Structures are given as C-alpha cells and as structure tokens.
Amino acid sequence: MDAPPGDRRPGDRRRGDRRASPRHAESSWFGHESYFDPGWAGGNPELDQRLRSLWSQRIVGAEDSALTRIHRTYAAVRAAFGLALVAAQGAGNLFGARVSLPLTLVCIAYAVQAIALWLLPRFQPLTTPVASPPLRRRQWLATIGVDLLAFGALHLMGSGGPINYSALLVLPVLMAGAMSTRLIALATAAGVALLLLAGAWRGSFDDGAIAGSLLQSGLAGLGLFVIALLSGELAGRLAREERAARGSLELARQQAQLNRLVIEEMVDGVLVVDARQRVRAANPAARALLVDSGLSPPAPFGLDSRPVWRPLAQAVARALSDRDWPEAGRELTLSFEPGHQRTLRLRVRFVRGRTPGEGNAGEPLCVLLLEDVRIAQARLRQEKLAAMGRVSAGIAHEIRNPLAAISQANALLLEDELAPAQHRLARIVADNVDRLKRIVDDVMELAPGGPVSPPLPVDATAEVGCTAAEWARTVGLPLGPCSRLQVELPAGPLGVGFDPEHLRRVLVNLLDNAGRHASQAPGAILLRVAAAGDTLAQLVVASDGAAIAPEVEPYIFEPFFSTRSRGAGLGLYICRELCERYGASIEYRRHGGDDSARNEFVVTMKRSSLPAADTSLPLHP
C-alpha cells in the first residue's frame, strides 16, 4: 500500500524510488541469481543506501508489519516484567527485607495476567497484532490500561520502599505513543504525570521537601510527554517508510517479472556473460541457438566448456577487451556436426554487475543479443513478399481494364485478313494477353480480403479423373499405357472437404509443373489418389525430372520465387494458400537414386462424407 502524498516528503520519495534492488534471485531476468547494479555509472553507492536496500528487502519479505512485531514484542516484554517483579519480591523476602503483602499481590496478579495474555490461545483476540495503530479499545485496556493500573499502584504503594517503581510507568507511555492516536498518547502521559505529582505530594508531608519533590515529578512528567510525542512520530515514520518500501519493491518485483516474461518469450537469444566467460543468464531462445537440437544446459555455465562455443567466447573476450562493438553487430559461425553450421548475428551491450564479497568494484558484463541469420533473412524476405503481394494485388486490379481493351482490339484485328507476319504478331499478342490474364487472376485470387469458399464434400476420384483428362487434352497429351501421364485412382468414390474449382486449380498447377520438368518417357508423370486412414486422403503428383536443389527447396512455396526466367513464381504458392483455406497441406518429397518418381508433391486433405445421391462411377482418363 502506497503512503499518502502528504505523509511523505520529497527527499523521502527520492530515497524510496531507489530502494528497489534487483538482487533477489526471483527478481532476476530469467529466474537465476543475478547481481546487476543499476547505478554503476553514477558512482559507488554509500553504506547507508545499501543498508536501506537490505532493510527494505527484509520488511517486504516479512509477512507482518514492523508495528505488528512491536506489539507482539510488547506482549512478551510484559510477561518478562511480571516475572521480574515477582522475582524481585521473592528476592527481597529472601534477604530479609520488609515486603508489603498488598504490593506482592499486585505483582503476582500482574504477572499472571501478562503471562496468560501472552501464552493462552483464548486471549489471542486481545493480543493479536495490529497492522497499523491505533489499538482497539479492548486491546488497549488489556495491555496499556492494565500496565497503567498495576505500575501506578506499585508506585503509590511502594513510595519510600527499597524499590523505585516509577520508572516502570515509562513503558505504557511509550507504547501508548507508538500504538495509539496522539490524543490518547498525550492523555496517557498526562495521567502518568498527575500520578507522579500525586505520589510526590503524598510523600512530601513526611520529608518536608515538597517543592523539590514536586519539581522532580514535574520534570519527569514533562519527559513523559516528550516520550509520547517522539514515539508517536517515530512509529508514524516507520509505518510510512514501510508502506513506501513495500509499494516500491512490489512495483520493482512486478517490473522484474514482466521483464523476465518478455525476455523469455523473445525470438532473439539473450545471454549475460561475465569476464570469466561464465554465462549468468540465458533465455530459451539463446539456449536453442547454442546447440544443434534441443536446449543447452540452463545458466550458469561456461562458454569454454564446449569447443563449439569457442567463436562466441573469443567474441566476448574481444568485446570486453576493446569495450567497443558495432551497433549492427557481427556475424559468427558455430560448427556442430560435420556439415551442419549455424551463422549468428551477435550484438553486444555492456553493463556492470556487482558480485557479493567483491566490494564496490563492478565487474564488467556483456549482454549478448543472438539472432539466427537464416531466420532473420527469411523473416525479412517474408515481409518484403507480403508488401510486394499487396502492391501486386493493387496493380493487378488496375491492369484488368486496359488488358481487356488490348484483348478485344487484338481479337478484332484477327478477324480481318492479315499478312502472315502481322498475323503471327497478333497471335503473339493474344498469347501474352492470356498469360497476363492468368497472372492477374492468380494474384486477385490470393489478395487479402478475397472471398473464401466454404469446404464442400467433393468426390476426389471423379474430380481428379475429370481434371486429369481435361489437362491431357489441353496439352495435347495422348492417354493410354504408353502415355507420359499415368493415373491411379481408387475403385470407388472418395469424399474430401474442398472447393471443386480450387481442387482443379491445385491439380492443374501441379500437373503443369510436372509436365514442364518431366522427361518424355512413358509414365514420367504419376498421378495417384488414395485414402490415408479414416480421416485423411492424399493426392500425389510425381515426376522423373531433376530433383530440386537443397538450397532451393525451402523457397519453392514462396510467392514470386521461380527458377525460370519467364515464370511468375505463383503456381506452388497458390497451391499452398488454397490448401490452407480448407485445412489441407502440401509438401515436397525428394527421392534419391533412379526412382522415376524422384520429385513428389503430396496434398493431404481431410476426408468428408459424400451426399447419398453421389454414387456415380469415377471417370478414368
């Protein structure tokens, strides 16, 4: 709970803001012990500031407040005082001193009440510590009120005796100032002062020194007022400081937990390394980048413990030695198993930490920011492709009208009698107009915000058979046992969840791609449809063309990526996007050796029940 603005001076507020220290293990970035000094650049902290930090951590870690502990201690002190008073009476009787029976009874009664109030569970409501003053009325009467009554009786009855009981009256005045309101505290001090004056007045008739006794009692009463005021101010200051410390450290703890969560979820790796090549903290992303697979051991660990980390250790040593590192970072390569390397971009930030027992001399630390270069390049490429796709969609929309005008004008020219050379040029224009139309249709089909058709139950056997036959006729491919295209279809209907037109489009794109790269040998292109369990079905298009290079394979489904100079790079990208619309997937598989189907594209679709009326036989090409 934060202190009210009026209860805290500006100097206190500045000190409270610096009281939060991130040197708790649970307040470190990643859950491991960390010793960061946020004020290292401004000079060494003073001793009192360090003591304040330790005190703040202790009170925040405690379950109760300081005033609660004071009240609990007060109950124990009362029990100790009661035992001491009874022991004093017993000792006086043992050594032959004259002991008053009423006075002894008062001491015994006070001791019994204080010990019972402290130990017996039934009196816990009267001794339950309070979080902040004032005490409840029953608690005040059971502790401070009883003390005033007992110690006042001892003072009045023991005047002139061997023991001076007036000093005991300081305890209830002190606790009234700390645990009560200011009015009650001053009233308690006034009552005790009047009690001292009454005792001095009564005893002065025997000694004849009334003026001196009254003056001494008056000064003692004045001191009690000062004690009540000082104890009240100190208790209030303690409560305000404790609330401020709890609030500041709670905010610091929440901020540390937020920082830890953010850093742990970062895609980039974060390492904190000291001058001894010891990793003090590492987030999961960094631990994944340091090993071939899985995660490296949690921090702390040494960078010199594995040979594969030697380039990173050398970079840390160089950075700490030069105290300089390029803002954009540098690239280094970690070599794992033979043939497997990982290139990292390393950025370095310098901080200074403090280890317990090393005094105020800070130890330099490096915060390493690691990023996989391949992933960064892929992310940048995807962002560029996404922006390019949006721009291309807008351009494609604007191209439709002039392209239609060109197509219509060229069609009118072809209706007239033209010279052979002019007719050939007109046919070239018509072919390229058709090609541009297909590209525009592809771009508009996949433009953001385009219509998405709901999946429909489609008979994959019939749909694939019809599409394959139409494609073969379009490209002038004869069908039969010696054809380049061989089709394997199920014996009966096979229902899948897909849009019929989009399924035809996916298949035509895959067949065009296979026909472009396959040889002219019989069976060079294989089309197969089969069930893959009770819930999935697979469409496979394979060819005997040259295998796709490993360095090209990760990018074949990206938009505008093509190995042909005249290719738009949208065919396989459109296949993937259409498959994802209906919960299907497409992947490329490469088979080695002399396998005729070394290039294989597999579309995995969800099966769906066909309507009862759809019982037509499949159409084989």
Side-chain angles (χ1 to χ4, degrees):
M1 180 174 63
D2 294 331
D7 293 340
R8 200 171 178 198
R9 292 177 294 179
D12 300 334
R13 185 179 298 111
R14 290 193 296 270
R15 288 193 294 269
D17 294 338
R18 296 194 300 267
R19 202 170 290 133
S21 175
R23 294 179 63 181
H24 279 303
E26 67 269 13
S27 297
S28 64
W29 281 353
F30 317 114
H32 303 288
E33 193 169 2
S34 177
Y35 303 98
F36 296 110
D37 181 9
W40 69 274
N44 296 328
E46 299 179 357
L47 179 61
D48 59 344
Q49 192 73 10
R50 293 166 56 192
L51 294 178
R52 281 178 176 272
S53 177
L54 294 175
W55 174 77
S56 300
Q57 295 169 14
R58 180 177 63 84
I59 64 173
V60 169
E63 296 180 356
D64 47 17
S65 65
L67 294 179
T68 298
R69 295 189 295 272
I70 290 175
H71 190 221
R72 186 185 298 115
T73 304
Y74 175 42
V77 168
R78 294 182 70 252
F81 271 17
L83 291 176
L85 290 174
V86 174
Q89 298 300 320
N93 190 20
L94 182 63
F95 289 108
R98 184 173 61 86
V99 178
S100 171
L101 180 60
L103 195 146
T104 303
L105 293 177
V106 170
C107 292
I108 294 175
Y110 177 77
V112 170
Q113 191 268 352
I115 295 174
L117 209 63
W118 181 45
L119 294 180
L120 295 183
R122 63 177 300 180
F123 297 112
Q124 284 185 354
L126 298 177
T127 58
T128 300
V130 295
S132 60
L135 292 174
R136 292 187 290 271
R137 179 180 299 178
R138 295 180 58 192
Q139 290 179 325
W140 194 94
L141 292 176
T143 53
I144 298 176
V146 171
D147 287 354
L148 291 174
L149 181 62
F151 296 159
L154 292 176
H155 172 67
L156 293 177
M157 291 187 296
S159 298
I163 301 177
N164 185 9
Y165 295 100
S166 59
L168 296 176
L169 293 169
V170 176
L171 180 62
V173 173
L174 178 65
M175 296 310 302
M179 308 301 295
S180 303
T181 61
R182 179 170 296 179
L183 180 61
I184 295 178
L186 293 178
T188 302
V192 173
L194 292 176
L195 182 64
L196 293 176
L197 291 174
W201 180 272
R202 193 188 67 171
S204 298
F205 288 108
D206 298 334
D207 299 334
I210 183 172
S213 298
L214 290 177
L215 179 61
Q216 184 178 3
S217 299
L219 291 176
L222 182 62
L224 293 177
F225 277 99
V226 174
I227 291 174
L229 290 174
L230 286 180
S231 61
E233 287 296 325
L234 292 176
R237 177 65 177 268
L238 178 62
R240 291 192 299 270
E241 289 289 335
E242 186 174 25
R243 288 195 297 268
R246 286 181 182 273
S248 299
L249 286 185
E250 184 61 28
L251 290 176
R253 181 176 300 173
Q254 293 176 1
Q255 185 63 39
Q257 292 175 352
L258 178 61
N259 293 341
R260 178 176 58 197
L261 177 62
V262 170
I263 293 176
E264 286 180 350
E265 296 297 327
M266 286 178 59
V267 178
D268 295 344
V270 180
L271 291 178
V272 180
V273 187
D274 58 23
R276 295 169 294 175
Q277 305 292 327
R278 181 172 176 266
V279 176
R280 294 193 179 184
N283 69 341
R287 293 170 58 194
L289 292 175
L290 293 179
V291 293
D292 187 9
S293 61
L295 296 176
S296 68
F301 58 87
L303 285 179
D304 53 358
S305 60
R306 296 188 183 183
V308 69
W309 297 337
R310 187 175 294 112
L312 190 58
Q314 294 173 352
V316 171
R318 178 181 177 184
L320 289 174
S321 175
D322 299 342
R323 301 293 294 174
D324 185 27
W325 197 263
E327 184 71 21
R330 292 172 178 163
E331 294 184 3
L332 56 88
T333 302
L334 301 182
S335 300
F336 299 102
E337 298 178 356
H340 186 194
Q341 294 181 339
R342 178 175 291 143
T343 303
L344 304 177
R345 178 176 289 112
L346 175 64
R347 292 177 293 159
V348 179
R349 300 294 182 267
F350 300 98
V351 296
R352 191 176 297 275
R354 185 175 67 249
T355 303
E358 295 184 357
N360 291 330
E363 179 184 7
L365 298 174
C366 277
V367 178
L368 309 182
L369 305 177
L370 304 177
E371 185 179 19
D372 193 330
V373 173
R374 185 180 59 182
I375 296 178
Q377 292 176 349
R379 183 168 58 246
L380 180 61
R381 183 166 52 251
Q382 288 295 336
E383 292 174 356
K384 290 182 178 179
L385 290 174
M388 189 183 301
R390 291 191 293 269
V391 173
S392 300
I395 295 175
H397 181 74
E398 298 298 328
I399 288 177
R400 280 180 177 271
N401 291 334
L403 193 62
I406 295 173
S407 177
Q408 185 177 6
N410 191 67
L412 293 175
L413 287 176
L414 288 174
E415 292 179 357
D416 298 334
E417 291 292 336
L418 300 174
Q422 294 177 345
H423 189 274
R424 185 170 61 255
L425 293 175
R427 293 307 309 172
I428 293 175
V429 172
D431 292 341
N432 283 275
V433 166
D434 292 339
R435 180 171 174 267
L436 287 175
K437 284 183 177 180
R438 288 195 299 270
I439 294 176
V440 169
D441 291 340
D442 292 342
V443 173
M444 294 301 296
E445 179 73 26
L446 300 175
V452 178
S453 303
L456 301 173
V458 178
D459 183 3
T461 304
E463 198 66 41
V464 170
C466 291
T467 304
E470 293 175 1
W471 179 82
R473 287 194 297 269
T474 301
V475 299
L477 184 65
L479 299 176
C482 298
S483 175
R484 291 177 66 205
L485 176 62
Q486 298 296 319
V487 182
E488 298 178 2
L489 298 177
L494 179 62
V496 296
F498 224 97
D499 179 78
E501 180 60 32
H502 288 166
L503 180 59
R504 284 195 293 269
R505 194 161 190 177
V506 169
L507 181 55
V508 168
N509 279 333
L510 294 179
L511 289 174
D512 285 341
N513 190 64
R516 190 178 303 115
H517 297 93
S519 66
Q520 300 298 323
I525 304 173
L526 174 63
L527 173 60
R528 182 174 65 251
V529 177
D534 297 333
T535 59
L536 299 176
Q538 286 186 340
L539 167 65
V540 179
V541 178
S543 65
D544 64 350
I548 298 177
E551 61 271 14
V552 175
E553 183 178 341
Y555 312 111
I556 59 176
F557 291 104
E558 292 186 0
F560 307 106
F561 178 84
S562 177
T563 57
R564 298 185 302 118
S565 59
R566 292 178 57 85
L570 291 173
L572 293 178
Y573 171 70
I574 290 172
C575 293
R576 187 189 66 180
E577 292 297 314
L578 293 179
C579 288
E580 290 181 353
R581 288 189 181 186
Y582 304 102
S585 64
I586 183 172
E587 59 177 330
Y588 168 73
R589 299 174 183 175
R590 183 176 62 245
H591 300 280
D594 297 330
D595 193 346
S596 60
R598 63 174 61 96
N599 288 316
E600 186 177 79
F601 287 89
V602 180
V603 178
T604 303
M605 301 170 286
K606 296 180 180 180
R607 295 187 60 175
S608 179
S609 299
L610 294 172
D614 193 359
T615 58
S616 60
L617 293 176
L619 176 61
H620 293 271

